[in-house]
Each structure stands twice: as structure tokens, then as C-alpha cells.
Amino acid sequence: MTHQRISRRARGALSVAVAAGVLAPVAAGAAPAVAAAPAVVCTSGKAGLAATLSKDITAALKGRKSTTALAVYDRTTNTRCALRATQKFDSASVVKVTVLATLLWDAKKTNRYLTQREISLATAMITKSDNNATSALWKQLGLTKIKGFLKAAGMTRTVPGTGGYWGLTQITADDEQRLLTLVTAKNTVLSDNARAFIQERMRKVVASQRWGVPAGAPKTATVELKNGWLSRSTHGWRVHSVGAFTGKGHDYLISVLTDDNKTMNDGVNTIQAVAKAVHKDLNPVAAKARTAVHQVPATPYEAVPATPEKSAREAVPASR
């Protein structure tokens, strides 16, 4: 057997490399590199606003355990902010706005009015977050129509829950913003009457469920809102809040989705910290004038949809 000779210089270089750990992929005992957390990215037509929002939203999230996705759009200043905006989350009750939009979109296709039964179910579904009403409409529509609406709306990353588990629909902050945009501005997907119907119900959400993105909103803003929460064996509590703020010079949308919350309140607090920062920066005059803000209930309530692990529950307190 012959042995390939290695020059003295090559042997020396090899010894140095090994000693320095160059040839070892990970030095002994060293922890693997951790990917940097995504940053809040904002753009704006108003000088300085994007940087201020990025800084204040980042500060609001500092030290929080929640995995948070958000999207903000202010039409007045052409401002947008995003963080994990395409990451998917279990929808919980936030999907109920999609259900109502699908119902109205489908009715428009056949040029018919909603029945009194549908109106009653839709109203209970949004204003009280009624789970039974949602299940009835979800079953009536079926996955084909729901998917048809999602395609028409451009909500390309939203995936309807199967097996009747509408609360496990996969949603993104970006798609929720697309839906809010359709609800609040003239378009070819939803008729003006349909948009007015949805807006009216979202304005009349019961007091105990008016938590989340309204925190810190100017009193002069009209608030259209839908929230949801859900706990599962993995990723803890999902807690979400989406809303539109219009009228009296206001015209902006906020969607905040969270999971990995140890408690329900962790999610609520994270969402409200983000919302307060956004409202403050988009309404500097109101903030300086100490304008009264919308009052958020001390003990928020929201319906908990059914999952394969547990049946649906209504009006579960955040302190649970």
C-alpha cells in the first residue's frame, strides 16, 4: 500500500486549521446560530412617519412572548406597516367576517336579498360572536363557495378549515387587510349594500368584545371590529383582533394576529400595546390634545370555536 505524501507546509497549515476549529462545522459546546427575529417594516407618503411607527411598534413588542403578525394601512398618508404578514395562524372567530362576506358575495351573484333567517344569523355571528350561527352559515355555504369568495377577494393565503372546524381556517395578517379593504372601500367583489351591512354589524359588536385594536383609538373614529381567541395544545392561545377606523379624517385598518401566548390576557395585552402605538402615531394632534380614547373592557369576552380537542364554548373570560 502506498501513502500519499503531504508536504511539511501543508501539514502545518492543516494543524493550524484544526486547532482553530476551521474544519469543524460547530465548535464543541457552541450553540447553533439563532435566526434574527423579523423586523417591523413601514413605508409612508408622510415624511418621518414610517420610521416613527417602526420604532414605536417594535418598542411595544419588546419583551413579549407572543409570536405576533401585523399589518397596518392608512389611506390618508399612504402608510403601510407589516410584520410576519404572510405567516399563517388558526383564525378563531376572526373568520366570521369572511363568512359574512362570502354570504353576501354569493347572494349578489344570484341577485337575491338575504332571508330574515340569514340576517338574524349574520347579526348574531358578528355582534355577539355566536358560534352556532356561524356553524349554520358555514354549513349552508360549503367549502366551494367559501373558496370561491377567497379567490375573488384575492385572499390567496387563506385556507378554510375542514370538517366543519371554521375556527381552524388558516389566515394571515395580509389577507385580513385585504378583506378589511374590501369592506371599507368601493370594489367589484362586494356591493355597496353588502359593505354597509358588514360595517354596521362590525360597529355594533357588544361592549364586552370591544377589546384589541380599538385600544388607544381617538374618540372621533368610527370603529368596525372583530376579534377571536382559541387555545390549543401547541402554540398556546391564539388571540387576534382586526378593525377599521374611519370618519372625521380617519381612514386606516389594523390587523394583529398572535399565538404562543401563555394566557389569554398575554395576547390581549400584546395586541393593545401595538394598537396604542399605531393610533398615537397616526393621530398626533389627538394624542397631543389628550383626546379621550375608546374604553376597552377590563374583562374582555369572546366566543371560543370548536376544535378537534374540545367543543365550542361561549363567553369565556380573558382571565381564564
Side-chain angles (χ1 to χ4, degrees), residues 74-77 220-222 245-252 282-283:
D74 178 35
R75 291 187 177 99
T76 304
T77 58
T220 49
T222 298
F245 303 86
T246 58
K248 306 278 179 129
H250 310 291
D251 194 1
Y252 57 97
L282 293 182
N283 304 281

Side-chain angles (χ1 to χ4, degrees), residues 4 43 64 66 82 84 117 131 141 151 165 193 212 248 252 254 262 275 298 319:
Q4 185 175 3
T43 60
R64 298 183 183 276
S66 308
R84 299 188 183 91
R117 169 185 170 275
N131 285 330
L141 290 165
K151 182 178 180 180
Y165 294 114
N193 287 339
K248 306 278 179 129
Y252 57 97
I254 305 175
K262 185 176 181 181
S319 57

Side-chain angles (χ1 to χ4, degrees), residues 42-223:
C42 298
T43 60
S44 179
K46 182 177 179 180
L49 181 55
T52 298
L53 276 165
S54 296
K55 175 177 66 70
D56 290 347
I57 293 173
T58 300
L61 290 172
K62 186 176 181 179
R64 298 183 183 276
K65 303 296 186 182
S66 308
T67 296
T68 305
L70 63 88
V72 175
Y73 174 41
D74 178 35
R75 291 187 177 99
T76 304
T77 58
N78 192 26
T79 297
R80 296 179 187 272
C81 291
L83 173 66
R84 299 188 183 91
T86 59
Q87 181 169 322
K88 291 180 179 178
F89 293 75
D90 292 335
S91 67
S93 291
V94 166
V95 76
K96 292 171 181 177
V97 181
T98 299
V99 175
L100 178 52
T102 302
L103 177 66
L104 292 161
W105 170 78
D106 183 62
K108 175 188 173 185
K109 287 172 58 179
T110 55
N111 197 31
R112 72 172 182 86
Y113 292 107
L114 297 188
T115 65
Q116 189 55 54
R117 169 185 170 275
E118 289 171 331
I119 292 172
S120 297
L121 289 173
T123 300
M125 175 175 67
I126 301 298
T127 63
K128 298 189 294 184
S129 206
D130 186 283
N131 285 330
N132 291 333
T134 310
S135 295
L137 290 173
W138 184 270
K139 183 177 180 180
Q140 173 184 317
L141 290 165
L143 290 179
T144 299
K145 290 181 178 179
I146 293 167
K147 289 178 180 178
F149 170 75
L150 293 173
K151 182 178 180 180
M155 298 169 67
T156 57
R157 292 186 174 88
T158 300
V159 182
T162 58
Y165 294 114
W166 43 262
L168 299 186
T169 295
Q170 298 299 287
I171 62 171
T172 69
D174 187 56
D175 274 3
E176 289 304 299
Q177 290 290 94
R178 290 178 184 275
L179 179 58
L180 290 175
T181 299
L182 291 176
V183 170
T184 56
K186 194 174 185 68
N187 60 86
T188 58
V189 179
L190 295 173
S191 69
D192 291 348
N193 287 339
R195 293 191 303 106
F197 186 91
I198 299 171
Q199 290 171 19
E200 182 182 11
R201 270 69 191 169
M202 292 178 72
R203 284 196 294 268
K204 293 182 178 178
V205 167
V206 295
S208 62
Q209 295 180 16
R210 298 189 71 80
W211 50 269
V213 292
K219 190 176 181 180
T220 49
T222 298
V223 178

